[in-house]
């Protein structure tokens, strides 16, 4: 019986990772840009210039490109608010990004991230945001090995998400260290 439950759970989670549901709105008050790779910033600018939002709330962890968060913010008339997530996770992005959106009076929030990350991002951000939430997809170009890694990682990451049910619930530090070690060990080499 346990095997059937585990098997069905893995099938459902794989489905959510591979075939996420988007629900982009023609317009949102703010767009939370979750950092995945530097090119996500280009997609954020495209969406702002297409009229989706006038406010980009941009996750800018250490080492990210400065094209939106540096001194020469070019490419859009939208207001850009940059932040460094703490912790440097989707949960950290959700906590800070949703607070910044509320501080600016946003009632609807969009999330911009890549396909394998959409459903988990929806779950995490919805814990910190109780108004209208819309998902926008950013196309990442993965080679087959990286795509397979992202699917396995995405399914496994749902476990972490389920173990941290609140907006600011922290994952146990010793387990976090083991997770980071496993990620480094299994990450495909570029």
């Amino acid at each position: 019986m346990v095997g059937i439950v585990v098997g069905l759970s893995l099938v459902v989670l794989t489905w959510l990772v591979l075939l996420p549901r988007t629900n982009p709105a023609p317009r949102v008050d703010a767009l939370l840009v979750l950092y995945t790779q530097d090119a996500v910033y280009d997609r954020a600018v495209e969406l702002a210039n297409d009229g989706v939002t006038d406010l980009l709330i941009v996750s800018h962890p250490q080492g990210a490109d400065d094209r939106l968060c540096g001194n020469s913010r070019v490419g859009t008339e939208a207001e850009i608010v940059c932040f460094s997530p703490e912790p440097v996770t989707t949960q950290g992005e959700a906590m800070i990004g949703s607070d910044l959106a509320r501080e600016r009076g946003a009632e609807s929030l969009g999330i911009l991230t890549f396909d394998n990350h959409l459903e988990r991002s929806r779950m995490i951000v919805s814990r910190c945001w109780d108004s209208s939430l819309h998902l926008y997809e950013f196309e990442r170009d993965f080679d087959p090995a990286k795509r397979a890694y992202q699917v396995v990682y995405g399914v496994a990451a749902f476990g972490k998400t389920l173990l941290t049910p609140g907006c600011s619930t922290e994952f146990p530090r010793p387990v976090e260290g083991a997770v980071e070690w496993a990620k480094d060990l299994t990450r495909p080499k570029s």
Side-chain angles (χ1 to χ4, degrees), residues 23-58:
N23 64 334
R27 183 141 177 87
V28 290
D29 295 332
L31 182 66
L32 175 57
V33 181
L34 303 180
Y35 184 78
T36 54
Q37 67 180 160
D38 296 337
V40 72
Y41 296 154
D42 295 329
R43 181 66 179 135
V45 167
E46 287 174 18
L47 288 169
N49 289 343
D50 288 345
V52 169
T53 191
D54 295 324
L55 175 60
L56 295 173
I57 299 175
V58 180

Side-chain angles (χ1 to χ4, degrees), residues 172-187:
R173 293 283 179 216
V175 177
E176 182 72 37
V179 168
E180 291 304 316
W181 175 81
K183 281 172 35 179
D184 290 340
L185 186 66
T186 60
R187 183 175 287 125

Side-chain angles (χ1 to χ4, degrees), residues 29-30 55 57 98-108 129 131:
D29 295 332
L55 175 60
I57 299 175
S98 60
D99 284 345
L100 290 169
R102 269 190 294 281
E103 287 171 10
R104 283 160 178 76
E107 294 182 13
S108 60
W129 184 260
S131 275

